[in-house]
């Protein structure tokens, strides 16, 4: 999976969100509870894990993401990007000022070991 390179380099903190619905507006963040903050090596490792997700074909489910990550730079003001993951339809939707249109919608293999590791991290933080 591709993440915006400059945003990855600038990321100082990642919020993990347990999504509770879909955004009301096109550029609004996904609603839900922030269940964890990853900084330092945790953030670096998480971004590397996300980047290692292998691609997949699209599967239709209506896009019902369960988890998202929001990446912030050191100002912690506006998220550089948010990536919402649907493990059913294999889709990741990214939004934010650092996301070029070509990266906004991507597909990943949820059964691959990196995806299962990411899902495990999400579940561990959300409990």
């Amino acid at each position: 999976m591709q993440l915006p390179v400059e945003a990855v380099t600038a990321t100082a903190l990642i919020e993990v969100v347990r999504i509770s619905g879909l955004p009301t507006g096109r550029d609004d963040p996904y609603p839900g509870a922030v269940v964890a903050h990853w900084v330092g090596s945790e953030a670096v490792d998480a971004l590397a894990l996300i980047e290692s997700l292998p691609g997949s074909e699209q599967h239709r489910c209506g896009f019902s993401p369960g988890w998202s990550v929001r990446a912030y730079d050191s100002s912690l003001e506006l998220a550089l990007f948010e990536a919402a993951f649907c493990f059913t339809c294999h889709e990741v939707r990214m939004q934010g000022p650092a996301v070029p249109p070509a990266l906004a919608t991507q597909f990943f293999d949820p059964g691959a070991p990196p995806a299962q590791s990411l899902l495990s991290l999400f579940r561990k933080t959300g409990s």
Side-chain angles (χ1 to χ4, degrees), residues 23-113:
T24 54
R26 182 174 177 86
D27 295 323
D28 292 341
Y30 284 82
V34 175
V35 296
H37 290 101
W38 295 334
V39 296
S41 64
E42 278 184 311
V44 169
D45 292 348
L47 291 171
L49 183 59
I50 291 167
E51 288 181 314
S52 76
L53 294 175
S56 176
E57 298 291 320
Q58 179 179 12
H59 292 254
R60 302 258 179 214
C61 83
F63 191 68
S64 183
W67 302 94
S68 78
V69 294
R70 295 182 192 136
Y72 293 88
D73 66 13
S74 59
S75 73
L76 304 178
E77 290 179 14
L78 179 66
L80 300 167
F81 68 89
E82 179 174 22
F85 297 83
C86 180
F87 283 79
T88 304
C89 68
H90 306 195
E91 188 172 340
V92 178
R93 291 187 186 170
M94 280 196 294
Q95 61 186 22
V99 180
L103 299 184
T105 301
Q106 298 181 54
F107 300 95
F108 70 103
D109 179 356

